[in-house]
Amino acid sequence: MLEWLWIVPALPLAGFAALALLGPLLPRRVAAALGTGAAGGAMIVAVAAAWQFIAQTPAAGAFTQPLWQWMRVGGLDVAISLRLDELSLVMMLVVTVVGFLIVVYSIGYMSGDEGYSRFFAYMNLFVALMLLLVLADNLVAVYLGWEGVGLCSYLLIGFWYRDKANGRAARKAFIVTRLGDIGLIVGLLLIFDKLGTLNIQQVLAQAAAQWPAGSTLAVAVAALLLAGAVGKSAQLPLQVWLPDAMAGPTPVSALIHAATMVTAGVYLIARMHVLFKLAPPVMLLVAMIGAATLLIAGVSAATQRDIKRVIAYSTISQIGYMFLALGIGAWAAGVFHIVTHAFFKSLLFLGAGVIIHALSGEQDLFQMGGLRRALPLTFWMFLIAAAALAGLPPTGGFASKEAIVYFSYGSPQSHWALFAAALAGVFLTGLYTFRMVFLAFLGPPHRVHLHKSPPSMLWPLVALAAGVLGTAVLEWPHDLGGRAFFFDFLERALPPATSLPVGQWTVPLIQAAGVAASLAGIAAAWFITRPARQAAGARAEALRRFWQAGWGFDWLYNKAIIAPLLWLVRLDRHDVVDRLYIALEHAAAAGHRGMARLQTGQIAWYALAIAAGTVAVLTIMTVLA
């Protein structure tokens, strides 16, 4: 089955092409079958390929499948190949399995939408390009997938494009992530200029051989790659686009802006870990960005009224945990949190979608309440995901977060401040997660009549909940009877994390501290969601608004960057370069008007013009001969 690896991205790409060309002509059932069939086929082939890879791992430790020679110009040799190793295998399974469940969910969620086939076309294109990003063995192909998923994000955030606010959110996401991408493309050019190749394995080998640790080149390249990762993964200071990206349909929020695309920055850092290990100052910066982001986003999440914006800020915060893990050298722990996060965050978004569907589009948490009895299945599935997000056993979220908190204490590259930030983040996570649960599901109901969701929207919740619980087995803590399946599996692709010697009771104490912090956050959520406390909270309205607005980053960027830029544009309105293009425009318009006068409708004049032209051409040919 490894020889069929190319089919994994090719199937959703073919699904996109068919839906883009024939979608408007197809009945809705056929369009849905085409979209889900392509995603499901990719998942089946991916699982089969993964099974063979694990059972019969190639001697080289990876399977490489050349596809075609894209370009060979000067010293630039770009051959498109797919490379399956332990890291890309994990990412491939996350994209295909979670992607398929979300596409199935979309059948019911988007059933009444006029852009039904267009939606499935975009989703298939995204899955294909995301798979290219994680499977490519060349940085040019990675960049192609990187920009491709950014385009899909733009198309899907602005999917309901008749609403101007959605268009603005799509443009904001596109422009902000491009700022990070500038750093990424400059970093790739610098790599090619200094090492003469963009093949990932060759780049890592040559960088390790030629660049001393801490050298200027290594630090510069790692910092430039980090800029791209920060933009794509919505980390400080480029996190402002993700909350507004919730303007897109909920399945888009689940797949692109929670489970897959936003973790591309984490994947890039993990894939290029050799370069980052050569740049200790950048590693420290990665950890600091992660720690700061997880705290700032956690506080903002605790003040939101819109259920989707709570989950969006939660995503920013959890990716902060992944950055923290990478920055302290706990590579496998960061990737493990990608896996568990993909399941529990998708489940939260899809559960929120069921709630929004039941309430006819209502997204305000304070207009919900009492949904526990009305939506029992959704409640229990949502509760499982919430427990995982809050880091409670026996979920996968507990296992992955416990590993990150432990290494933030025991890693020689960590610092007590990072450990404190990780624990404080656990408290905030429990607070904002269960504030959302209490407001949505407990208390008196606000609505009597609710829309029922079709089975296609409910059984993906059950499947994802099984994943939330099942992923815990992959890396359950040793002292609780578990085994390190996941970390051992990734050991060949990513270096193992190191830890300082710790006492016998250190690990259980850290685990207990994490659970206690989460429970304290849940207790705080219970306290502040009581009606009396909600009224008292109005006294701190200014501070709440500040946090709700994302700590004023949008205001700051508007004042410091956008307003001066617009002033310069207005100042340069009559720029001389523009006049050249305006002159060309007027010349083209004048030419058009002149040619239009020749169309008189009189056949005799047409015949005379053809005869005159023929004579002129023959005369020129005779003279030239």
Side-chain angles (χ1 to χ4, degrees):
M1 292 301 292
L2 284 177
E3 288 73 20
W4 290 12
L5 184 63
W6 65 274
I7 295 178
V8 178
L11 270 177
L13 187 62
F16 158 73
L19 286 165
L21 293 173
L22 305 173
L25 306 176
L26 298 175
R28 285 177 172 255
R29 287 188 176 183
V30 176
L34 201 55
T36 52
M43 180 189 69
I44 292 170
V45 178
V47 170
W51 182 270
Q52 183 177 349
F53 182 90
I54 294 170
Q56 302 172 355
T57 305
F63 172 75
T64 302
Q65 186 172 47
L67 296 181
W68 77 89
Q69 184 73 34
W70 186 8
M71 64 179 81
R72 186 177 287 150
V73 181
L76 179 61
D77 186 347
V78 181
I80 301 298
S81 302
L82 302 181
R83 187 174 191 275
L84 190 68
D85 64 1
E86 290 81 359
L87 178 58
S88 55
L89 182 147
V90 168
M91 295 299 295
M92 176 182 71
L93 290 179
V94 167
V95 173
T96 54
V97 174
V98 176
F100 170 67
L101 293 173
I102 293 173
V103 171
V104 170
Y105 176 92
S106 306
I107 295 172
Y109 191 86
M110 301 297 293
S111 59
D113 199 281
E114 61 180 350
Y116 197 62
S117 62
R118 179 165 57 92
F119 178 82
F120 284 103
Y122 290 166
M123 292 289 270
N124 271 249
L125 179 62
F126 169 79
V127 172
L129 291 169
M130 190 69 205
L131 286 166
L132 174 65
L133 194 162
V134 300
L135 288 171
D137 80 333
N138 188 294
L139 287 170
V140 176
V142 169
Y143 187 73
L144 180 65
W146 185 277
E147 293 297 347
V149 295
L151 172 65
C152 293
S153 171
Y154 168 78
L155 293 173
L156 285 163
I157 294 171
F159 184 76
W160 292 316
Y161 56 85
R162 290 193 177 91
D163 187 335
K164 290 183 178 178
N166 296 345
R168 283 195 295 272
R171 289 195 297 276
K172 182 178 180 181
F174 194 79
I175 292 170
V176 172
T177 52
R178 293 289 81 70
L179 294 176
D181 291 355
I182 292 171
L184 176 61
I185 190 66
V186 173
L188 298 188
L189 292 173
L190 190 57
I191 289 173
F192 179 71
D193 181 57
K194 299 301 177 185
L195 299 178
T197 180
L198 287 171
N199 178 281
I200 293 174
Q201 301 310 311
Q202 293 175 11
V203 166
L204 299 182
Q206 292 187 31
Q210 298 178 24
W211 295 349
S215 63
T216 305
L217 263 178
V219 171
V221 168
L224 289 166
L225 297 185
L226 174 61
V230 162
K232 190 67 84 182
S233 291
Q235 296 294 285
L236 282 173
L238 299 180
Q239 81 286 6
V240 292
W241 65 270
L242 188 56
D244 291 352
M246 298 302 109
T250 298
V252 173
S253 306
L255 178 62
I256 299 180
H257 304 121
T260 53
M261 189 195 80
V262 290
T263 59
V266 181
Y267 169 76
L268 179 70
I269 295 174
R271 173 58 75 194
M272 306 302 290
H273 65 274
V274 175
L275 274 174
F276 280 85
K277 286 182 70 177
L278 294 173
V282 180
M283 289 280 286
L284 177 61
L285 184 60
V286 172
M288 291 172 62
I289 287 173
T293 304
L294 74 90
L295 293 177
I296 286 177
V299 172
S300 287
T303 58
Q304 302 299 312
R305 296 180 65 98
D306 186 318
I307 188 170
K308 286 182 67 177
R309 288 181 74 89
V310 174
I311 306 175
Y313 274 107
S314 158
T315 299
I316 298 172
S317 180
Q318 296 306 304
I319 296 174
Y321 270 109
M322 299 173 203
F323 268 62
L324 171 60
L326 300 180
I328 58 177
W331 308 99
V335 175
F336 186 39
H337 203 52
I338 290 181
V339 176
T340 62
H341 179 263
F343 281 95
F344 68 68
K345 192 52 66 64
S346 301
L347 180 53
L348 281 173
F349 264 121
L350 298 192
V354 172
I355 295 170
I356 294 167
H357 178 79
L359 298 176
S360 306
E362 181 60 72
Q363 296 185 196
D364 189 339
L365 282 165
F366 290 88
Q367 298 303 316
M368 299 177 185
L371 296 175
R372 179 171 63 89
R373 295 186 185 282
L375 303 172
L377 177 67
T378 305
F379 167 67
W380 287 109
M381 298 302 105
F382 204 91
L383 192 61
I384 290 172
L389 175 56
L392 294 177
T395 63
F398 164 75
S400 59
K401 196 169 288 182
E402 185 274 336
I404 295 174
V405 173
Y406 169 73
F407 283 114
S408 70
Y409 174 84
S411 170
Q413 300 169 54
S414 189
H415 187 272
W416 68 266
L418 297 176
F419 174 62
L423 269 185
V426 175
F427 169 80
L428 287 170
T429 308
L431 171 62
Y432 65 69
T433 303
F434 277 83
R435 169 181 174 268
M436 177 172 58
V437 172
F438 296 150
L439 288 174
F441 291 100
L442 304 185
H446 287 255
R447 299 280 185 94
V448 177
H449 301 292
L450 303 177
H451 293 291
K452 288 187 176 179
S453 295
S456 63
M457 289 176 63
L458 296 178
W459 80 257
L461 305 186
V462 179
L464 286 168
V468 171
L469 298 172
T471 49
V473 180
L474 297 177
E475 192 61 39
W476 192 247
H478 301 186
D479 58 307
L480 299 178
R483 288 189 57 187
F485 293 112
F486 192 82
F487 288 6
D488 289 348
F489 178 68
L490 280 182
E491 204 165 47
R492 192 155 40 189
L494 296 171
T498 55
S499 175
L500 296 170
V502 294
Q504 180 184 358
W505 295 101
T506 303
V507 175
L509 283 174
I510 291 174
Q511 289 168 352
V515 173
S518 180
L519 293 175
I522 295 170
W526 175 261
F527 182 70
I528 65 172
T529 51
R530 291 188 306 167
R533 295 309 306 169
Q534 290 178 34
R539 296 170 197 161
E541 184 64 16
L543 188 58
R544 187 190 65 77
R545 285 179 181 276
F546 177 66
W547 287 337
Q548 190 178 43
W551 297 71
F553 275 92
D554 278 324
W555 177 86
L556 178 64
Y557 292 162
N558 278 330
K559 294 294 183 185
I561 300 174
I562 297 174
L565 190 61
L566 290 176
W567 179 77
L568 283 175
V569 168
R570 283 192 289 269
L571 194 67
D572 196 39
R573 182 175 295 166
H574 303 297
D575 167 277
V576 67
V577 176
D578 283 349
R579 293 189 179 188
L580 173 63
Y581 291 107
I582 291 170
L584 287 174
E585 175 197 338
H586 286 307
H592 166 73
R593 286 192 295 272
M595 295 299 288
R597 289 177 182 171
L598 297 177
Q599 188 175 356
T600 61
Q602 297 180 16
I603 303 298
W605 280 104
Y606 294 164
L608 180 60
I610 292 171
T614 305
V615 170
V617 170
L618 291 174
T619 303
I620 292 170
M621 292 176 64
T622 303
V623 171
L624 292 177

